[in-house]
Amino acid sequence: MPPTAKIVLEDVSFYYGQEPALQHVSLEIADKEILAIIGPGMSAKSTLLRILNRLSDLATEGRLEGRVLLDGKDIHDPDVSVTQLRTRVGVVFAVPVPLPLSIWDNVAYGPQLRRGVSKSELDSLVEKSLRAAAVWDEVEDRLHEPAMALSGGQQQRVCLARVLALEPEVILLDEPCSGLDPISTMKVEEALLTLKKDHCIVIVPHNVQQASRIGDRVAFLMGGELVEHGSAEQVFTKPRDSRTDDYITGRFG
Amino acid sequence: MRVPRYTTQKVAFGIITAAAVGVVIPLVLVIAYIVVQGIGAISWEFISAMPRSGMREGGILPALVGTIWLTIGTAVTSIPFGVGAGIYLSEYAADNSLTRTIRLAIINLAGVPSVVYGLFGLGLFVIFLRFGMSIVAGSLTLGIMTLPVIISTTEQALASVPQSFRIVNASLGGTTWQGIRKVTLRQALPGIITGVILGLERAAGETAPILFTVAAFYLPRLPHSALDQTMALPYHLFVISTQVPGMPIQIQYGTALVLMVFVLTMNLLATLIRRYFRRRRQW
């Protein structure tokens, strides 16, 4: 077990109506590491991510069982502010969704929702975030142009910067590179490797190779069940479960 | 023997093209007829003077001013409630029996004949609330009649904003209201403005709802206050077309022309606003 668990899932199940998605998952997620969640389609990988910042609340007829602890505190406790939770646990989606605003306004969106952040603080926060997301050099001259005019790869990195501007403790990424070219993918991965020094990162990679490139730990989900998890090295070289072996060697999935 | 596919297609295109062109013909004819018949009556005096000699001479100023006041009054009463209800239904309302009842009520409200609104306004605003025949009573009546249009266009305009924007707002720690204010409402604004103007435009041209609530048969002065009666263009047109013997036909069509220009100007405004915003929209 990792020494400092940032997030703990205790017997977590999630249902869409009567349809079970995630089933009895218990998992500890360490701080300052990258956890890659792999598995074939329909394994509830995205559901697992969305549970961690309670975006799953938005699912109509969604129902959660079990407990999710962030720093030892149940995120569903009534005294937990869901909006504050989401600034502590940021998420980047598979398809980049820039808001119909300028690049600057997109990145500053989260911090601006809180009160009392000055324009100059925002300016430096925007620059810092865009630099950390490895996209500053490409957009610094057009910060006030629409974010939607950027290329897909740039949009995705701006969306990453938008999450970084929240100064989150945990970053969730749901196949963030699925639509990106290899160069943009490499830039995002490099950014993540730097970010993990002071963040807890959970990523659903778009393929097993990406999991092996950047994952410190790997969790293998199948049909909503956690088949196994462990260090990337262990899972990829000595998987304990034959299904994991089949999946990572490409026999299915 | 089968008819070749391209022949069927040509026939089908022919028919639907004819239908599309056919729709335009009555509109053009109506406008052309009113312009030709009425243009002779139009002068500065016609729109800036009081009516004289039992409305057979002079201008239509009080009716024009009355209609402008009623349109503003309708806007003031219907926009806050209509847009508010539309936002509620689109962004907040859960799908339960309460909201289904509200939706049903709105659909039925849209189907109520305008003369029924007139009688309702007479009963509630003129008599029960003692506003008397007044601009306030007329505006409220027209406002209620306009509500369904504004509510449903607001709801539709908001529904057309991609759901992903709302999820992004939530994922960045925004409340539902912050998302509405900063993203969704801004994107839906052109649709809402268009719906509002179209609703007001219909209200400006209505006769029945103002008949019992505000419109004066003959009142050759401008209204003193919101609790004053006033003449209004649609009712004035009805009066001079049916109630005044020996009415010069040119004045009737001149009045119709002024009313039509007033309504078409609002329409044009709606189109321009929509065009302006659509050009700036990025999705």
Side-chain angles (χ1 to χ4, degrees), chain A residues 5 10 91 136 166 170 188 213 220:
Chain A
E10 289 179 355
V91 59
W136 172 256
L166 300 171
V170 181
V188 170
R213 281 197 300 271
F220 176 58

Side-chain angles (χ1 to χ4, degrees), chain A residues 50 53 55 58 83-84 86-87 89-91 93 97-101 106 109-110 112-114 146-148 162-163 166, chain B residues 161-176 178-184 186-187 280-283:
Chain A
R50 280 159 187 255
N53 73 347
L55 269 186
L58 303 181
T83 52
Q84 205 204 337
R86 288 177 184 152
T87 64
V89 184
V91 59
F93 301 101
V97 182
L99 293 170
L101 305 167
N106 260 282
Y109 188 88
Q112 270 180 323
L113 297 173
R114 289 169 291 182
M148 288 194 176
R162 187 168 65 184
V163 168
L166 300 171
Chain B
V161 177
Q163 187 62 20
S164 53
F165 292 164
R166 296 179 181 85
I167 293 175
V168 166
N169 167 68
S171 79
L172 295 171
T175 60
T176 307
Q178 283 174 322
I180 292 170
R181 205 164 45 84
K182 296 177 85 102
V183 182
T184 332
R186 268 171 66 171
Q187 296 302 309
R280 297 199 330 176
R281 182 150 84 186
Q282 299 148 28
W283 42 276

Side-chain angles (χ1 to χ4, degrees), chain B residues 188-205:
Chain B
L189 208 54
I192 295 174
I193 292 173
T194 309
V196 164
I197 294 179
L198 293 178
L200 294 181
E201 181 186 309
R202 191 189 147 205

Side-chain angles (χ1 to χ4, degrees), chain A residues 88-108:
Chain A
R88 292 178 64 196
V89 184
V91 59
V92 178
F93 301 101
V95 180
V97 182
L99 293 170
L101 305 167
S102 72
I103 296 169
W104 193 95
D105 283 319
N106 260 282
V107 180

Side-chain angles (χ1 to χ4, degrees), chain A residues 231-244:
Chain A
S231 74
E233 198 195 344
Q234 177 257 309
V235 172
F236 285 121
T237 56
K238 298 190 288 286
R240 281 188 286 265
D241 194 292
S242 62
R243 288 171 293 175
T244 316

Side-chain angles (χ1 to χ4, degrees), chain A residues 198-216:
Chain A
D198 40 19
H199 292 84
C200 166
I201 296 176
V202 185
I203 182 169
V204 174
H206 66 295
N207 56 28
V208 173
Q209 287 74 29
Q210 186 173 43
S212 69
R213 281 197 300 271
I214 60 172
D216 297 302

Side-chain angles (χ1 to χ4, degrees), chain A residues 44-58:
Chain A
K45 304 183 295 268
S46 301
T47 302
L48 175 54
L49 277 195
R50 280 159 187 255
I51 286 170
L52 299 182
N53 73 347
R54 290 183 57 182
L55 269 186
S56 53
D57 291 8
L58 303 181

